Amino acid sequence: MSVAFSELIEAFEFISSDPVFGNSARVNRKTGTVHWHTDWDSELFEEPEDIDDDEKYIDLPTPRDLDLGRPLAMRFAAERLDDHYDEIAAIFSRKGAWRRFKDFLFRVGALDRWYAYESEAKEKALRAWCEENGIDVEG
C-alpha cells in the first residue's frame, strides 16, 4: 500500500481544523485510500460499508496524538524564543491561548518562524506515524 503524503497532510489538516464538527479520517491499510468523515454532514463524504473494520482501516492521528499542540509550542519557545519562554508559558495557562500565542509571535516577528517550525514538526511526526503503522508514503 502506498499513499501520497500530500493527501495525508490534507486529511490531517481537515481533522485538525475544528473538533466541534467531529472530523476524522481513516486509511485503508491495503490500498492507501484515505476516507474522510465529518459528523457535521454524514453524507458529505462517501465511506465504504466496512469503514469500522480496524483490521482493514486505521485512524489518522490528531495533532494531540502526535504531541503537536501545546507541547510543540513550548518546544518552539525553548528552542527559538528562550528569552520569551515564561511569557509563552503564561499565555498557555489561560483559555484562548492559540490566538494570543500567534498575536504574540506576530508582535515579536516570529510568526513565520513558528509556521515553518510547526510545518516541519507535522511532517516529521506524520511520517514517523506512517512508518510505525506500515504505511508506505509517496512524496
Side-chain angles (χ1 to χ4, degrees):
M1 156 194 67
S2 186
V3 61
F5 190 73
S6 59
E7 188 174 351
L8 286 175
I9 283 287
E10 189 176 2
F12 183 77
E13 295 296 339
F14 170 74
I15 65 176
S16 306
S17 63
D18 192 343
V20 172
F21 295 123
N23 297 344
S24 61
R26 300 200 91 197
V27 179
N28 183 308
R29 294 175 188 267
K30 283 187 179 180
T31 67
T33 305
V34 180
H35 298 278
W36 300 31
H37 173 82
T38 182
D39 292 343
W40 178 69
D41 183 352
S42 60
E43 295 181 18
L44 186 60
F45 303 108
E46 193 173 320
E47 293 180 314
E49 288 184 22
D50 62 350
I51 193 70
D52 293 325
D53 182 347
D54 291 338
E55 295 295 317
K56 192 171 181 181
Y57 301 92
I58 185 168
D59 288 318
L60 205 58
T62 66
R64 182 172 291 210
D65 296 331
L66 300 178
D67 254 354
L68 295 174
R70 181 185 183 278
L72 180 64
M74 297 312 301
R75 284 194 302 273
F76 176 77
E79 293 173 18
R80 310 284 168 91
L81 294 172
D82 190 43
D83 294 346
H84 298 287
Y85 185 88
D86 291 337
E87 265 179 282
I88 293 170
I91 286 171
F92 279 98
S93 69
R94 298 182 312 276
K95 281 190 161 197
W98 284 104
R99 179 188 50 79
R100 288 193 322 278
F101 175 62
K102 289 178 183 176
D103 288 347
F104 173 80
L105 293 176
F106 179 78
R107 282 194 312 277
V108 299
L111 190 57
D112 288 341
R113 285 187 288 159
W114 161 250
Y115 285 133
Y117 185 87
E118 180 186 39
S119 179
E120 183 179 320
K122 279 182 196 177
E123 180 172 342
K124 184 177 178 181
L126 197 50
R127 286 184 185 279
W129 177 85
C130 287
E131 188 173 322
E132 289 169 15
N133 289 283
I135 297 171
D136 191 26
V137 176
E138 296 174 9

